[in-house]
Amino acid sequence: MVSEGTRTVTAEGNPASVIFKAACPDCRGRFELAATALRLAIGGSDRTTFYSFTCPDCGSAVRKPAGERIVELLTGGGVSTLRLHSEV
């Protein structure tokens, strides 16, 4: 699960960085990640929409499904997003 933790604001009032709380299903570690440490892929279905990151504790590649609310949080927080296209 990922949730928005804290948002840092610059002197000009612009968001500088967003920190997300995350957990690793392998080592059960809990930690905070900057938006730059997360990646979001938006596909044509729930099965192909997910976010991923590398666990800073154990180094595992973590991939988790992303529903609408998670997509909103991650895109609003500046997470790099890849839109997947399906061929018909």
Side-chain angles (χ1 to χ4, degrees):
M1 178 74 168
V2 69
S3 62
E4 188 174 19
T6 58
R7 184 180 294 261
T8 305
V9 179
T10 64
E12 296 81 27
N14 300 323
S17 63
V18 177
I19 302 298
F20 294 94
K21 294 180 181 179
C24 177
D26 291 339
C27 72
R28 304 222 184 263
R30 295 189 171 277
F31 38 82
E32 295 182 342
L33 296 172
T36 56
L38 294 154
R39 294 159 303 282
L40 174 64
I42 299 175
S45 70
D46 289 344
R47 212 178 84 201
T48 57
T49 299
F50 61 90
Y51 65 97
S52 61
F53 59 90
T54 300
C55 176
D57 292 344
C58 70
S60 290
V62 179
R63 177 176 161 164
K64 295 186 177 184
E68 285 184 36
R69 181 67 181 135
I70 297 294
V71 170
E72 286 177 25
L73 283 172
L74 295 177
T75 56
V79 170
S80 177
T81 303
L82 173 65
R83 295 202 180 267
L84 306 174
H85 298 280
S86 62
E87 293 184 24
V88 182

